[in-house]
Amino acid sequence: MVFKMKEILLGCEAVALGALHAGISAAFSYPGTPSTEIMEYFLQKKEKYSINAEWCSNEKTAYEAALGVSLAGKRAIVSMKHVGLNVAMDPFVNSAISGIKGGLVIAVADDPGMHSSQNEQDSRYLADFAKIFVFEPADAQEAYNMTFEAFELSERFGLPVMIRLVTRVSHTREAIETRSLKTQNKIDKTMPCKEWVLLPTNARNQFKKLLEKQKDLLIESEKSVFNKTSKKKNSCCAICSGIAFNYFMEVTNGSIPYFKLSTYPMPIKKIKNFSKDFKKIYVFEEGYPFVEEKLCSMLPARKILGKISGAVQRTGELNCEIVKSALGKKIIQNLKASIELPPRPPQPCAGCPHVDLYKALNEAKGSSEIMVFGDIGCYTLGASEPLRAIGSCICMGASVNNARGASIAGAAPSVAIIGDSTFAHSGIPALVEAAKHNNNMVLIILDNGTVAMTGAQETMLSGNSLLQIILGAGVPKERVKFIEPLPQNHELNVSIIKEALSCKGLTVIISKRACIQLLKRR
Amino acid sequence: MEKNIIICGVGGQGILTIARIIVSAAQKEGLSFKQAEIHGMSQRGGAVYVHLRISKGKIYSPIIPEGYADLILSMEPLEALRYLKYLKKNGKIISSIWKLPNISYDEKVVVSELKRLKAILVDLKGIAQKTGNPLAENMALLGSASSYLGLKEENLKDCIRETFISKATLMESNLKAFELGNKST
């Protein structure tokens, strides 16, 4: 027997291939787990499909570049992790007001359970806020199909469309059936005279137009083939969105009537019609109780069981066991180790330059109470034992102005630790402020020449260009110091940091040594 | 035919390569599969795992339900014990006997626990050294598990060949590690 070979792809890669087959001309992104592999796939395939694919400084610039491609008439995709959408919120929300031209799709990967993130926010709320259409795939095949379809809808509505992924869709590998390739759109340089100029007089009209489009979005959702129902006589039913549907099916094999929800705005009529005969409605969804909240207001008289009601665990990642326990099904008695297992948390690689820097910093600080603010990257691991070198990690770029604020509050000198890529992402504006006010703080930039944590992607700012930005921001040359974080330089590095801490005003230390993983690859 | 397999170890031990070879072989046999991976932060010297599901029929959950795994394949003895809740009562554990010392624990206690669970312990390091390629430990583990996977050995070998097609010496040493692993169990 001969089987047709399908492509084996991660959910992320399936999104990318769906976009390529839909005829995109460009793709933009900033690395972030669990979305990184979308752009990595584009970078592998960009020559084959004649597209432009680039890592950007941050998610906002990535979104703006994709919007620019769309406004020139061509199709574009921008991908990011959930917290990246916070950074891109401004162009994201306003591109729904301005409208778009070529299909514009935003693929956002949420990380429920926080495998590799600082929160588990749910991107469906942000799409609801921007008033755009959302697809929520349950697996990689749907991720492919929906991405392909999203470009059609985007052009039809003149609005960006979101693909909402979660870790277990992004990072599950499956065999995918694909469609044929569409040709890319031609360039269209026409600019409408008012729509894209969001001055208040124009923006008021555009916002009304966006509200008017909502009924078309709803009609599309009501008729979408991606929403499926099964009807059986039963006292209860389940409404399952995205991957939650797969956990539900694994547990019940469809023995409870279900509504598989894949599109937003939620198809209200269809849901009301489906659920009218059932006393109890279970809601299974990955992330926040978005569907459940809407259902509670749509169907106030019904018993709705989900994360708000307490039937389903509110935090963390969904799984078969949580679905089982909500439905009152038995979980198999498990095997257990009879010994205590020590955890094996992620830790810096052997030979990591960050470790040598932290050792020097810890010694320079000694027992003095200096506040050290950290940031997002491999160096966040320096917060754990045995280093305990940083005391915070909030969001991309936060270290610089956290330290500046603490210094203003009287905790001077304070220290900020940031990597080269995170600095380029959103540390630069904060440095401009620190230089302008000459705040009493030390900014240490760890220049390892790559975006290490997400797998060594290209960095925007390293070496001499990093130095030039620092000088250009107004930091005097004599207040920029250099460290090569190596064990044999330990004493020297301690003295450099000590001196920086004893000087009044801003000192920037560039700690430069290549990522050990990057060296292994070369 | 349905197999649920946890492949685990420490970031950098080549766990994803084992998984990818198994699913490619499953594809050659016309089976469905899902391979759930963890990328990102946990890769840095931390505990990593893959849930791999192969079936003749439709697979829904990418994560194996607790108590449904047929096999735990581990590149590290302590890590083999971390996912026991997923294992069936009569499920099999195949693990490296060699501790990865980036955390400290009592090896003897862990090994005796594995013996209590009737785990098959394999000298992966010794096998890899015999092939002249110390990085071939993962293929030795795949070899020692090959008779438990329900897949044709020749298909697994073909997939190893395809994985290491760019370098003949790597292909050879990895195939040898697979064969020595296979003989060891």
Side-chain angles (χ1 to χ4, degrees):
Chain A
M1 207 165 153
V2 181
F3 296 95
K4 189 178 166 245
M5 277 299 189
K6 300 175 184 176
E7 295 224 34
I8 301 178
L9 296 175
L10 280 177
C12 277
E13 296 168 338
V15 166
L17 191 60
L20 288 168
H21 287 169
I24 57 161
S25 299
F28 305 91
S29 183
Y30 183 82
T33 314
S35 71
T36 310
E37 299 79 6
I38 300 175
M39 177 52 74
E40 292 192 323
Y41 194 78
F42 286 132
L43 292 171
Q44 283 170 35
K45 304 285 176 183
K46 64 178 183 177
E47 276 90 21
K48 181 180 171 189
Y49 289 92
S50 309
I51 67 152
N52 194 294
E54 290 173 1
W55 290 120
C56 297
S57 295
N58 64 41
E59 294 84 357
K60 179 178 185 282
T61 62
Y63 196 98
E64 288 156 347
L67 178 60
V69 171
S70 161
L71 297 182
K74 298 193 177 183
R75 291 184 167 186
I77 187 167
V78 53
S79 54
M80 61 195 69
K81 68 184 293 173
H82 57 340
V83 286
L85 184 53
N86 299 340
V87 178
M89 260 320 252
D90 209 353
F92 172 63
V93 172
N94 289 320
S95 62
I97 309 272
S98 67
I100 54 100
K101 201 194 281 171
L104 176 61
V105 170
I106 164 171
V108 189
D110 293 356
D111 189 16
M114 301 182 232
H115 294 281
S116 226
S117 305
Q118 66 272 43
N119 76 27
E120 51 182 26
Q121 68 183 58
D122 188 324
S123 299
R124 294 176 298 173
Y125 285 88
L126 279 65
D128 189 50
F129 181 62
K131 303 207 163 300
I132 64 160
F133 197 89
V134 180
F135 283 108
E136 188 182 6
D139 56 29
Q141 181 67 60
E142 281 196 346
Y144 173 88
N145 295 347
M146 288 175 177
T147 306
F148 191 93
E149 189 63 27
F151 284 95
E152 304 293 319
L153 287 190
S154 172
E155 284 178 4
R156 184 136 56 82
F157 296 137
L159 290 176
V161 171
M162 180 188 284
I163 305 289
R164 188 234 181 184
L165 301 164
V166 295
T167 302
R168 299 299 182 181
V169 174
S170 284
H171 287 167
T172 296
R173 215 175 281 278
E174 290 169 52
I176 304 293
E177 249 173 86
T178 58
R179 305 186 196 182
S180 52
L181 173 67
K182 294 194 76 159
T183 50
Q184 293 186 19
N185 289 357
K186 289 204 174 72
I187 189 93
D188 173 2
K189 294 187 193 175
T190 56
M191 294 183 93
C193 53
K194 287 181 180 169
E195 288 162 23
W196 299 348
V197 185
L198 295 182
L199 282 166
T201 48
N202 298 335
R204 287 180 199 120
N205 279 334
Q206 287 300 107
F207 185 51
K208 276 183 202 154
K209 274 198 221 166
L210 175 60
L211 294 179
E212 280 161 19
K213 285 179 186 174
Q214 296 306 302
K215 63 175 184 302
D216 300 330
L217 267 56
L218 194 56
I219 290 168
E220 180 60 38
S221 187
E222 293 282 358
K223 67 172 196 206
S224 172
V225 295
F226 294 109
N227 298 318
K228 292 187 177 85
T229 59
S230 86
K231 273 228 153 171
K232 272 194 193 94
K233 268 220 157 0
N234 206 316
S235 60
C236 64
C237 69
I239 296 177
C240 313
S241 77
I243 194 162
F245 174 72
N246 279 343
Y247 297 133
F248 168 80
M249 288 300 283
E250 182 78 34
V251 169
T252 66
N253 206 15
S255 60
I256 296 171
Y258 61 78
F259 190 109
K260 177 183 180 291
L261 177 63
S262 311
T263 62
Y264 307 85
M266 274 164 56
I268 296 166
K269 260 190 229 159
K270 206 172 179 180
I271 291 176
K272 277 188 174 166
N273 188 36
F274 161 79
S275 61
K276 64 179 187 293
D277 302 329
F278 304 106
K279 284 193 191 120
K280 277 197 295 192
I281 304 171
Y282 287 98
V283 182
F284 296 113
E285 56 189 319
E286 186 68 291
Y288 288 13
F290 178 84
V291 173
E292 191 182 356
E293 268 182 21
K294 302 245 172 198
L295 281 178
C296 287
S297 61
M298 263 165 64
L299 307 166
R302 308 292 280 284
K303 190 167 186 189
I304 294 166
L305 297 162
K307 295 183 176 183
I308 299 171
S309 81
V312 180
Q313 188 179 306
R314 175 66 181 78
T315 60
E317 198 174 36
L318 204 63
N319 58 36
C320 294
E321 287 68 40
I322 294 171
V323 173
K324 273 182 188 170
S325 89
L327 294 173
K329 287 182 184 281
K330 204 178 143 215
I331 297 168
I332 291 180
Q333 197 58 45
N334 311 304
L335 284 169
K336 246 189 171 170
S338 63
I339 56 169
E340 188 92 11
L341 303 182
R344 195 187 299 263
Q347 41 195 298
C349 307
C352 172
H354 303 331
V355 173
D356 294 318
L357 183 277
Y358 280 144
K359 282 180 179 165
L361 173 65
N362 282 348
E363 190 174 326
K365 247 173 59 185
S367 57
S368 55
E369 234 185 321
I370 291 173
M371 295 182 82
V372 181
F373 295 89
D375 222 301
I376 303 213
C378 284
Y379 47 95
T380 317
L381 299 174
S384 316
E385 294 288 352
L387 291 165
R388 294 199 54 127
I390 57 168
S392 78
C393 161
I394 309 291
C395 66
M396 292 291 283
S399 61
V400 186
N401 254 352
N402 287 167
R404 201 169 83 80
S407 172
I408 289 167
S414 56
V415 176
I417 306 271
I418 191 168
D420 53 84
S421 187
T422 308
F423 178 69
H425 180 285
S426 42
I428 298 171
L431 174 65
V432 172
E433 294 159 15
K436 172 87 177 170
H437 299 290
N438 195 25
N439 296 103
N440 190 0
M441 60 181 275
V442 178
L443 167 62
I444 303 179
I445 302 177
L446 309 176
D447 182 6
N448 63 356
T450 188
V451 191
M453 180 62 94
T454 45
Q457 290 77 25
E458 182 189 6
T459 180
M460 290 293 127
L461 206 55
S462 178
N464 186 49
S465 52
L466 173 64
L467 174 62
Q468 293 308 316
I469 286 265
I470 293 163
L471 296 174
V475 182
K477 208 171 174 183
E478 64 277 10
R479 300 307 294 268
V480 182
K481 309 287 175 194
F482 301 90
I483 275 179
E484 191 184 11
L486 279 168
Q488 61 264 37
N489 297 346
H490 180 74
E491 295 309 320
L492 174 65
N493 294 345
V494 171
S495 70
I496 292 171
I497 298 170
K498 266 189 181 165
E499 198 202 322
L501 287 170
S502 67
C503 285
K504 284 260 166 2
L506 172 69
T507 305
V508 177
I509 298 175
I510 300 175
S511 173
K512 185 170 164 52
R513 179 153 78 81
C515 169
I516 201 85
Q517 292 294 339
L518 194 67
L519 287 179
K520 277 188 199 164
R521 282 189 187 195
R522 276 175 190 158
Chain B
M1 152 65 179
E2 191 185 315
K3 288 278 175 205
N4 294 310
I5 308 159
I6 303 259
I7 309 170
C8 56
V10 180
Q13 286 191 311
I15 287 141
L16 285 182
T17 309
I18 302 177
R20 292 178 77 157
I21 288 169
I22 297 175
V23 300
S24 302
Q27 195 189 31
K28 281 186 199 291
E29 298 185 21
L31 299 163
S32 326
F33 57 84
K34 284 195 181 189
Q35 178 188 329
E37 307 169 2
I38 283 294
H39 297 200
M41 186 174 245
S42 52
Q43 284 180 304
R44 302 272 168 257
V48 294
Y49 63 89
V50 171
H51 282 240
L52 207 161
R53 311 192 70 189
I54 305 170
S55 174
K56 259 194 177 136
K58 167 111 181 144
I59 301 163
Y60 285 103
S61 171
I63 302 299
I64 300 166
E66 291 179 13
Y68 277 72
D70 301 280
L71 271 177
I72 291 177
L73 307 182
S74 182
M75 292 291 294
E76 210 277 352
L78 174 68
E79 295 311 311
L81 297 173
R82 219 179 277 287
Y83 310 93
L84 281 183
K85 65 176 180 181
Y86 292 106
L87 196 63
K88 277 181 184 165
K89 277 252 160 66
N90 54 351
K92 201 83 211 154
I93 303 169
I94 305 175
S95 172
S96 167
I97 200 157
W98 293 99
K99 165 182 173 178
L100 199 126
N102 69 344
I103 58 166
S104 68
Y105 67 84
D106 189 341
E107 231 170 319
K108 279 186 207 135
V109 175
V110 166
V111 168
S112 74
E113 175 70 1
L114 283 167
K115 284 183 176 158
R116 181 182 75 82
L117 294 159
K118 301 190 174 62
I120 300 173
L121 297 168
V122 189
D123 176 11
L124 299 181
K125 201 189 269 183
I127 292 176
Q129 272 160 4
K130 271 185 210 160
T131 70
N133 175 7
L135 295 176
E137 279 188 46
N138 57 345
M139 289 304 104
L141 180 61
L142 178 62
S144 53
S146 69
S147 58
Y148 297 89
L149 297 172
L151 298 168
K152 291 193 187 90
E153 202 181 301
E154 209 34 59
N155 282 334
L156 288 164
K157 281 190 190 166
D158 278 346
C159 294
I160 296 174
R161 287 185 191 102
E162 286 158 21
T163 304
F164 299 99
I165 197 151
S166 57
K167 213 169 170 193
T169 52
L170 274 184
M171 193 195 287
E172 218 171 283
S173 59
N174 278 292
L175 276 171
K176 196 172 169 197
F178 176 89
E179 267 160 23
L180 291 174
N182 195 357
K183 274 182 201 152
S184 74
T185 53

